Amino acid sequence: MRLVWIYPDLLSTYGDRGNLLVLERRARLRGLPVEVVEVNSDQRVPLDGDIYLMGGGEDLPQVLATRRLQADGGLHEAVRQGAVLFAVCAGYQMLGTEFGGADGQPLPGLGLLDISSGRGERRGVGEILADVDPALGVPRLTGFENHQGVTRLGGDVKPLARVVTGVGNGDGTEGAHSGRVLGTYLHGPALVRNPGLADLLLTWAAGQQLPPLPPQAEELALRLRDERLAAVPAQ
Ligand code: GLN
């Protein structure tokens, strides 16, 4: 299982690297051999990854990362070949057809997901809870969000979840997915707080159901999850 972390030098806010660590751990605990590849923005994106990860970022790094990925073309090719792509916040916005640049002007995105983002009136900051598209079979999401962007979904994607508390896309939905491409506004990091989402990505990449982890391996993850769910006042 090759995990490719795209541009940690530009896209890695709020501990989003934790998403990589959790995928690595949960794959290894199931006996899957794992290789982790970190690709900085001056390096080519390899085509042979199984799961590609993109984190959040500030406005300017987000613009630079988009230009580099567009010029490189490797991520587009990997997704075309069926790789799994998981993107958070700035990474999520970048996948769309357009997003709001550093001074708010619309900039072209990577066109890997049928979404388009602009800048909202206020930043969405704080804890977020959202109920996942039942088709994905993942329990309620808990996360932390901090973004100015608002995102509109086109007809070729489905919302990842419905917001219970927080902002998400800005219209009551949160994130989007289509095929094996999935984006979310959730930091936390998302896959640390939501192991079910991590396992969904691993299942897609492995092409088969994976056995559950032994309870003692889940103890800390579940404790963190319960604590964060309880931190949000009555829903
Ligand atoms: N710069 C983007 C925004 O503010 C994304 C921020 C982030 O990744 N946390 O909307």
Side-chain angles (χ1 to χ4, degrees), residues 13-14 16 55-60 62 88-91 93 118-119 123 145-150 185 187:
T13 50
Y14 310 119
D16 283 339
E58 286 140 15
D59 295 347
L60 196 53
Q62 176 174 348
V88 174
C89 204
Q93 293 174 12
R119 286 165 77 85
R123 292 192 77 77
E145 61 182 335
N146 183 355
H147 55 100
Q148 187 91 34
V150 290
Y185 271 111
H187 302 278

Side-chain angles (χ1 to χ4, degrees), residues 208-233:
Q208 61 183 67
Q209 284 303 319
L210 297 171
L213 295 184
Q216 66 273 24
E218 293 285 29
E219 208 183 302
L220 282 175
L222 294 180
R223 208 191 304 162
L224 170 72
R225 184 175 164 74
D226 288 348
E227 181 202 291
R228 297 324 303 160
L229 285 168
V232 179

Side-chain angles (χ1 to χ4, degrees), residues 2 10 47 110 150 205:
R2 263 164 83 83
L10 295 177
L47 303 184
L110 298 172
V150 290

Side-chain angles (χ1 to χ4, degrees), residues 169-216:
N169 292 325
D171 63 354
T173 67
E174 166 12 61
H177 68 102
S178 172
R180 295 164 156 228
V181 179
L182 192 152
T184 176
Y185 271 111
L186 270 61
H187 302 278
L191 301 186
V192 179
R193 289 197 195 186
N194 303 284
L197 194 55
D199 282 355
L200 176 71
L201 302 176
L202 288 171
T203 302
W204 283 350
Q208 61 183 67
Q209 284 303 319
L210 297 171
L213 295 184
Q216 66 273 24

